[in-house]
């Protein structure tokens, strides 16, 4: 019996090659798209799961209440909090303070590389499951002047040499001994470090500040498995308030490591999602793309029902049970699904390099793993049953007497399910087109916002080693070469979010609710405005003619003027702390600048203080405006030559601001590219189905077409007759998709302060695209049928 079913299925495939190709290719493309998306989804869910204690590891978070209506959440913590948790909270087994991951120069002999380095405490190696391939993690930080490298970093620095006990030059200034080498850990980790150094070493060189209000560190803890998380959070909530006594703000809590990546977005102190939204979105897209492929199969199978009606009638009169016919048709669909899977695997293998480049991952289809084949079998069964169930039940229900008499006619009502399925297909496709266009509009809208500074020929580089101590000499020598229009040094560059901020300020007219108002800080040298092109709107620039500028003079932006409430801010003073406090600060406003982009390009510019610093400090970045009439490569070569006189054992790590600016839109552009890609695949699959349906409809109505041609109908008349049904279905799909896309995209846009207004043009464009693609797909079959010789179709009558 099974052998006969298989023979019949194969005969039908060979007998109808066009329909077989459309079915197999539609299923294959749908499966391939779904497989790639699910590989991406599984990778997202696998982050940090390789840590053995992952369910006991938490990150310490802090809710900071800036005003009655605004609370922001941060993982930045004061340096003393870690030690307090270690000594006073018994439910916490281990605590590690970690510095931020920073690109630092590491050198060995004549080789200098920029690697991501993180400072950690010893418990870090017990809390997280990193494996040593050389050396011992138990004693790795016994010597404060030690460094742990990953395998890749050790290979890059030492080649085939034994790395243990080798001396690495750190930051061009400090010698550290390699104490251990870590096995390269999985890429799906929240960490991206390539080397670890002990916090005690950073402390010894003056790079740490362990105050309660420093906010320079992240803290991870290992919680006792028997501890109650809610009880621990209640116990630690008000630690900052208890320790700082006054001017304190911030309730701390423990947040699971396993949620940190996917559920990392907070609004007013409450987790509201994050990357999980994209995971859910593309899981839905994967499901719908596969569903569209299944719909094609259903449509084509039921549309060709009359072709197989006589076969069903003969089998039933020969004693076949309906259950046997259902099994047969389901079996045929499973065979098609399996063939589709084989094609899909080939498509995935061909497409993965492109897809990996798009999503910036290293996804692989592990065909040697049995679990992948088990999953593939599951996809075949689900797809085969889903695609074949409706045709199987529909075909097996035919009345054999009616079929064999030749009196069976498929009425108008029989085509309703097919039309509903086509509408469902195109509704989803049009919604994706609208979404893609809106994502593109939002990105372009943000890109076209005034930056407030001129990016052209503006580059910067970090200063390490002795270069940071000689930055003024370095600046003067660069200017002397004639390659630069202007140069200045800074703690952070425009367009970045790497600066610092603070609160607890006082000023004339401050309202009580502004006690915790946050201000951004940027420290700069002379010539900041000349170099960047940031526009001064009131007061003056910093100048050597005013020696007092070096002691707390400040330039503020327009957002700060609005927040402070000054009608004429020049000469106003802003203080922080008590006058008898050694850290008391007093600022005098000497200038006001227009807002310029700093941080997210989708957010309104925050209030900002710009301080003059000429003593070095954390002035670790030099910004250069290159002359536009000289070759950039030659100019960079001259700057590098000068830099490396002072920055020995450190690479020249330079960046252009316009390139960095483009990277700030990467997440949204990636989202748009994925929506466009899979929306395009959904339309392609839908068009395959339309092509098949149009072919079937033209064949079904060929005698009608012949009669109409004989009576004088033109090709245009017949094209309109055959196309109008599909046009109506697309219009209905558009009317369904538009409000749904508007609702969900409006929700997506709400997370951006600077955002577009959704206009009708996007919907008109999406409708036009869908209609145009439909007409192109259907027209081939319609015109082909309209141009056919009517004698052939009528000669049998």
């Amino acid at each position: 019996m099974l052998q006969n079913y298989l023979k019949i299925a194969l005969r039908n495939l060979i007998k109808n090659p066009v329909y077989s190709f459309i079915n197999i290719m539609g299923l294959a493309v749908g499966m391939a798209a779904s497989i790639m998306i699910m590989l991406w989804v599984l990778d997202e869910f696998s982050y940090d799961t390789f840590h053995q204690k992952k369910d006991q590891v938490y990150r310490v978070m802090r809710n900071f209440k800036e005003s009655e209506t605004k609370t922001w959440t941060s993982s930045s913590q004061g340096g003393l909090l870690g030690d307090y948790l270690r000594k006073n909270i018994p439910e916490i087994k281990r605590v590690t303070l970690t510095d931020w991951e920073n690109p630092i120069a590491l050198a060995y002999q004549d080789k200098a590389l920029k690697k991501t380095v993180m400072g950690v405490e010893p418990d870090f190696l017990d809390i997280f499951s990193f494996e040593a391939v050389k050396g011992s993690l138990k004693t790795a930080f016994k010597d404060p002047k030690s460094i742990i490298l990953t395998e890749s970093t050790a290979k890059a620095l030492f080649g085939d040499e034994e790395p243990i006990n080798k001396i690495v030059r750190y930051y061009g200034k400090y010698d550290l001994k390699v104490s251990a080498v870590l096995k390269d850990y999985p890429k799906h980790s929240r960490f991206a470090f390539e080397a670890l150094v002990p916090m005690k070493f950073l402390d010894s060189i003056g790079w740490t500040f362990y105050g309660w209000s420093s906010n320079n560190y992240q803290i991870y803890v290992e919680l006792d498995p028997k501890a109650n998380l809610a009880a621990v959070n209640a116990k630690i909530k008000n630690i900052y308030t208890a320790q700082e006594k006054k001017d304190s703000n911030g309730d701390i809590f423990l947040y699971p490591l396993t949620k940190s990546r996917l559920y990392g977005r907070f609004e007013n102190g409450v987790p509201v999602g994050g990357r999980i939204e994209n995971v859910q979105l593309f899981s839905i897209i994967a499901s719908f793309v596969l569903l569209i492929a299944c719909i094609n199969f259903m449509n084509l199978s039921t549309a060709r029902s009359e072709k197989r009606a006589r076969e069903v009638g003969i089998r039933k009169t020969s004693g076949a049970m309906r259950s046997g016919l259902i099994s047969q048709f389901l079996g045929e669909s499973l065979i098609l699904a399996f063939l589709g899977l084989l094609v899909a695997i080939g498509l995935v293998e061909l497409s993965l390099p492109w897809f990996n480049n798009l999503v910036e991952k290293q996804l692989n289809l592990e065909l040697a793993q049995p679990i992948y084949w088990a999953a593939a079998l599951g996809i075949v069964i689900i797809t085969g049953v889903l695609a074949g169930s409706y045709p199987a039940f529909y075909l097996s229900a035919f009345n054999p007497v009616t079929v064999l008499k030749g009196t069976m006619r498929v009425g108008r009502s029989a085509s309703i399910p097919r039309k509903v399925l086509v509408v469902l297909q195109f509704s989803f496709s049009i919604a994706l087109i609208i979404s893609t266009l809106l994502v593109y509009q939002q990105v372009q809208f943000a890109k076209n916002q005034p930056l407030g500074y001129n990016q052209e020929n503006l580059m910067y580089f970090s200063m390490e080693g002795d270069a940071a101590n000689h930055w003024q000499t370095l600046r003067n020598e660069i200017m002397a070469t004639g390659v630069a229009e202007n140069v200045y040094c800074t703690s952070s560059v425009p367009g970045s979010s790497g600066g610092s901020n603070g609160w607890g300020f006082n000023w004339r007219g401050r309202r009580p609710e502004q006690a915790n108002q946050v201000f951004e800080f940027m420290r700069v040298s002379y010539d900041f405005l000349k170099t960047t092109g940031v526009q001064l709107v009131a007061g003056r620039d910093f100048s050597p003619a005013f020696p007092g500028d070096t002691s707390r003079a400040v330039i503020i932006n327009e957002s700060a003027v609005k927040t402070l409430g000054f009608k004429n801010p020049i000469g106003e003073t802003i203080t922080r702390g008590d006058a008898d406090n050694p850290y008391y600060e007093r600022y005098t406003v000497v200038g006001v600048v227009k807002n310029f982009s700093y941080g997210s390009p989708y957010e309104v510019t925050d209030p900002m203080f710009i301080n003059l610093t000429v003593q070095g400090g954390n002035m670790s970045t030099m910004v250069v405006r290159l002359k536009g009439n000289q070759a950039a490569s030659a100019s960079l070569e001259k700057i590098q030559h000068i830099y490396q006189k002072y920055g020995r054992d450190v690479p020249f790590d330079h960046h252009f601001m316009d390139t960095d600016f483009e990277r700030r839109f990467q997440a949204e552009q990636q989202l748009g590219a994925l929506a466009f890609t899979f929306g395009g695949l959904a339309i392609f699959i839908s068009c395959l189905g339309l092509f098949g349906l149009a072919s079937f409809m033209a064949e079904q109505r060929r005698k009608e077409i012949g009669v109409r041609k004989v009576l004088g109908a033109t090709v245009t008349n017949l094209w309109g007759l055959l196309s109008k049904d599909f046009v109506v279905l697309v219009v209905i799909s558009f009317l369904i998709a538009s409000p749904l896309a508007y609702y969900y995209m409006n929700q997506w846009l709400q997370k951006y302060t600077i955002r577009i207004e959704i206009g009708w043009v996007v919907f008109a464009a999406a409708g036009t695209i869908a209609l145009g693609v439909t007409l192109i797909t259907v027209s081939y079959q319609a015109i082909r049928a309209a141009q056919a010789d009517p004698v052939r179709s009528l000669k049998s009558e």
Side-chain angles (χ1 to χ4, degrees):
M1 183 70 73
L2 291 174
Q3 187 177 0
N4 288 333
Y5 286 167
L6 181 60
K7 285 182 179 179
I8 293 169
L10 293 175
R11 284 171 183 170
N12 275 307
L13 286 176
I14 297 169
K15 183 180 179 182
N16 302 285
V18 174
Y19 292 102
S20 298
F21 172 80
I22 291 174
N23 269 330
I24 292 172
M25 187 53 66
L27 288 173
V29 172
M31 286 180 178
S34 300
I35 289 169
M36 286 192 292
I37 292 177
M38 293 317 296
L39 285 174
W40 179 80
V41 168
L42 289 173
D43 184 79
E44 288 292 318
F45 275 110
S46 68
Y47 267 72
D48 295 312
T49 56
F50 65 94
H51 298 296
Q52 295 176 5
K53 303 174 183 176
K54 60 182 180 297
D55 295 325
Q56 280 77 55
V57 180
Y58 295 81
R59 185 162 61 153
V60 182
M61 305 294 289
R62 182 178 186 180
N63 281 333
F64 182 89
K65 190 173 184 180
E66 185 172 339
S67 66
E68 291 299 321
T69 58
K70 184 178 180 181
T71 298
W72 49 270
T73 303
S74 172
S75 61
S76 300
Q77 306 297 340
L80 293 177
L81 178 60
D83 202 43
Y84 182 93
L85 294 174
R86 188 180 291 114
K87 293 177 180 178
N88 296 283
I89 310 298
E91 295 91 341
I92 294 177
K93 294 178 64 176
R94 292 183 178 87
V95 178
T96 180
L97 205 69
T98 70
D99 196 9
W100 298 92
E101 295 172 309
N102 293 303
I104 300 289
L106 300 179
Y108 173 69
Q109 294 179 352
D110 60 347
K111 186 179 294 183
L113 304 172
K114 202 82 165 184
K115 293 295 179 180
T116 302
V117 184
M118 186 168 69
V120 300
E121 292 182 321
D123 274 352
F124 179 87
L125 300 171
D126 290 315
I127 293 173
F128 296 101
S129 302
F130 296 107
E131 180 184 345
V133 292
K134 292 180 183 294
S136 170
L137 297 185
K138 297 293 183 184
T139 59
F141 284 159
K142 187 175 181 180
D143 179 0
K145 292 187 176 181
S146 59
I147 186 169
I148 298 174
L149 307 177
T150 61
E151 274 185 295
S152 298
T153 303
K155 182 72 173 177
L157 279 173
F158 305 111
D160 295 329
E161 291 183 42
E162 172 58 48
I164 299 299
N165 294 326
K166 287 288 195 306
I167 301 299
V168 172
R169 191 77 165 163
Y170 177 91
Y171 196 68
K173 295 178 70 173
Y174 309 101
D175 289 336
L176 299 178
K177 183 187 293 185
V178 178
S179 58
V181 175
L182 293 180
K183 180 180 180 181
D184 286 337
Y185 55 93
K187 295 297 183 184
H188 41 271
S189 168
R190 71 165 295 96
F191 298 110
F193 65 81
E194 297 166 290
L196 297 172
V197 295
M199 293 296 294
K200 285 185 177 180
F201 161 69
L202 298 180
D203 191 30
S204 70
I205 62 175
W207 284 16
T208 56
F209 177 64
Y210 290 125
W212 280 102
S213 58
S214 61
N215 299 313
N216 292 330
Y217 308 101
Q218 294 194 84
I219 297 175
Y220 296 91
V221 303
E222 179 189 340
L223 201 61
D224 190 298
K226 298 178 182 178
N228 181 282
L229 178 62
V232 174
N233 278 336
K235 184 181 292 189
I236 67 175
K237 178 179 179 181
N238 297 315
I239 288 177
Y240 278 113
T241 303
Q243 296 301 313
E244 294 187 275
K245 306 300 181 186
K246 61 179 181 178
D247 292 334
S248 173
N249 192 317
D251 297 336
I252 64 171
F253 62 96
L254 303 183
Y255 197 60
L257 174 72
T258 52
K259 287 188 175 182
S260 293
R261 178 175 173 83
L262 295 180
Y263 299 87
R265 185 162 61 89
F266 290 76
E267 288 183 6
N268 290 321
V270 178
V272 293
R275 293 184 67 88
I276 190 63
E277 294 165 359
N278 287 347
V279 170
Q280 292 168 341
L281 172 64
F282 285 103
S283 295
I284 292 171
I285 289 177
S287 301
F288 268 96
V289 169
L290 189 57
L291 180 61
I292 285 174
C294 293
I295 286 173
N296 270 0
F297 185 93
M298 296 180 195
N299 271 342
L300 291 175
S301 297
T302 54
R304 299 184 64 251
S305 58
E306 286 190 41
K307 290 282 186 180
R308 303 196 66 179
R310 194 174 299 275
E311 174 194 340
V312 171
I314 292 173
R315 286 183 174 279
K316 280 194 171 184
T317 56
S318 301
M321 302 293 292
R322 188 183 180 191
S323 59
L325 292 171
I326 291 173
S327 299
Q328 177 192 335
F329 291 127
L330 282 176
E332 289 182 12
S333 105
L334 286 170
I335 291 172
L336 281 172
F338 180 74
L339 294 174
L341 175 67
L342 296 180
V343 177
I345 290 173
L347 292 175
V348 170
E349 291 290 354
L350 289 173
S351 305
L352 264 181
W354 164 83
F355 188 66
N356 281 331
N357 183 60
L358 176 63
V359 299
E360 296 186 317
K361 291 181 181 289
Q362 293 299 318
L363 305 176
N364 292 295
L365 193 59
E366 303 287 349
L367 296 177
Q369 298 292 330
I371 189 171
Y372 278 87
W373 284 106
L377 182 61
I379 291 174
V380 167
I381 293 172
I382 291 171
T383 305
V385 172
L386 185 63
S389 57
Y390 176 69
F393 284 98
Y394 178 77
L395 291 169
S396 63
F398 287 160
N399 187 322
V401 176
T402 306
V403 169
L404 294 177
K405 278 185 176 181
T407 57
M408 190 193 92
R409 293 288 182 269
V410 179
R412 186 178 297 271
S413 60
S415 64
I416 291 177
R418 291 200 298 274
K419 292 179 178 179
V420 169
L421 293 174
V422 169
V423 167
L424 181 61
Q425 279 182 317
F426 270 87
S427 296
F428 176 70
S429 301
I430 293 171
L432 278 180
I433 294 173
I434 294 170
S435 300
T436 302
L437 294 175
L438 287 174
V439 170
Y440 175 79
Q441 275 195 346
Q442 171 65 9
V443 171
Q444 294 305 119
F445 181 74
K447 279 186 177 181
N448 294 329
Q449 293 297 302
L451 289 175
Y453 65 94
N454 181 9
Q455 292 186 105
E456 189 176 2
N457 297 318
L458 202 60
M459 58 81 65
Y460 65 94
F461 57 90
S462 58
M463 295 182 291
E464 296 182 81
D466 287 334
N469 297 326
H470 299 281
W471 66 268
Q472 295 191 61
T473 305
L474 178 59
R475 176 202 177 278
N476 294 337
E477 290 191 23
I478 290 174
M479 288 296 295
T481 64
V483 301
E485 292 183 4
N486 266 302
V487 181
Y488 79 99
C489 287
T490 182
S491 60
S492 54
V493 297
S496 75
S497 55
S500 59
N501 55 38
W503 58 89
F505 297 95
N506 285 288
W507 62 90
R508 184 174 57 83
R510 191 196 79 177
R511 300 187 302 275
E513 64 270 18
Q514 292 181 302
N516 293 313
Q517 174 65 48
V518 175
F519 292 87
E520 296 290 333
F521 274 89
M522 179 184 282
R523 293 172 177 83
V524 302
S525 67
Y526 295 116
D527 295 327
F528 163 66
L529 298 185
K530 289 181 182 178
T531 308
T532 59
V534 171
Q535 186 176 347
L536 188 72
V537 295
R540 62 176 177 81
D541 193 1
F542 299 124
S543 170
F546 297 88
D549 282 0
T550 59
S551 57
R552 301 298 179 185
V554 67
I555 293 174
I556 61 177
N557 66 358
E558 290 174 315
S559 291
V561 173
K562 184 177 180 181
T563 299
L564 295 167
F566 295 144
K567 290 184 179 179
N568 182 15
I570 306 303
E572 292 283 357
T573 59
I574 302 162
T575 63
R576 189 184 193 189
D578 298 326
D580 58 352
N581 189 308
Y583 298 107
Y584 174 73
E585 299 171 0
R586 180 184 176 89
Y587 301 91
T588 300
V589 179
V590 300
V592 177
V593 294
K594 277 188 172 292
N595 289 339
F596 57 91
S597 179
Y598 187 83
S600 171
Y602 300 104
E603 302 295 331
V604 175
T605 304
D606 291 325
M608 175 181 286
F609 295 165
I610 303 169
N611 302 101
L612 175 67
T613 302
V614 294
Q615 301 299 321
N618 60 0
M619 304 279 281
S620 58
T621 303
M622 184 165 282
V623 183
V624 182
R625 168 83 64 191
L626 298 175
K627 288 185 177 178
N629 59 357
Q630 299 185 28
S633 57
S635 298
L636 289 172
E637 187 175 344
K638 291 180 181 179
I639 294 172
Q640 180 178 1
H641 178 72
I642 295 170
Y643 170 73
Q644 290 184 331
K645 289 197 307 183
Y646 302 98
R648 296 181 181 88
D649 296 326
V650 294
F652 180 59
D653 183 32
H654 69 278
H655 306 268
F656 280 88
M657 286 195 185
D658 53 357
T659 305
D660 284 0
F661 181 73
E662 287 296 321
R663 291 197 191 101
R664 295 162 74 188
F665 302 94
Q666 189 169 350
E668 285 74 20
Q669 288 174 329
Q670 187 182 86
L671 177 67
L674 286 169
F676 174 79
T677 299
F678 293 107
L681 288 177
I683 291 173
F684 171 75
I685 297 169
S686 300
C687 288
L688 277 179
L690 280 186
F691 185 85
L693 286 176
S695 174
F696 166 75
M697 188 177 70
E699 181 183 347
Q700 191 180 43
R701 301 179 68 176
R702 62 190 181 88
K703 288 185 172 58
E704 175 193 347
I705 292 169
V707 171
R708 288 179 179 273
K709 287 198 73 171
V710 169
L711 295 177
T714 63
V715 171
T716 303
N717 296 144
L718 294 172
W719 172 79
L721 175 71
L722 295 173
S723 301
K724 68 178 182 179
D725 285 346
F726 295 103
V727 171
V728 169
L729 294 180
V730 172
V731 170
I732 294 172
S733 300
F734 174 77
L735 295 176
I736 293 172
S738 295
L740 290 173
Y742 177 88
Y743 173 79
Y744 286 107
M745 290 307 296
N746 189 56
Q747 295 294 312
W748 176 75
L749 286 169
Q750 294 310 305
K751 65 182 180 180
Y752 302 109
T753 305
I754 296 175
R755 57 179 179 267
I756 60 171
E757 293 293 330
I758 300 178
W760 63 269
V761 175
V762 170
F763 297 92
T768 302
I769 291 171
L771 189 60
V773 169
T774 300
L775 289 175
I776 291 171
T777 303
V778 172
S779 292
Y780 172 77
Q781 292 291 1
I783 294 173
R784 182 166 172 265
Q787 290 180 333
D789 185 356
V791 175
R792 287 191 174 185
S793 59
L794 297 176
K795 66 181 180 179
S796 61
E797 295 295 326

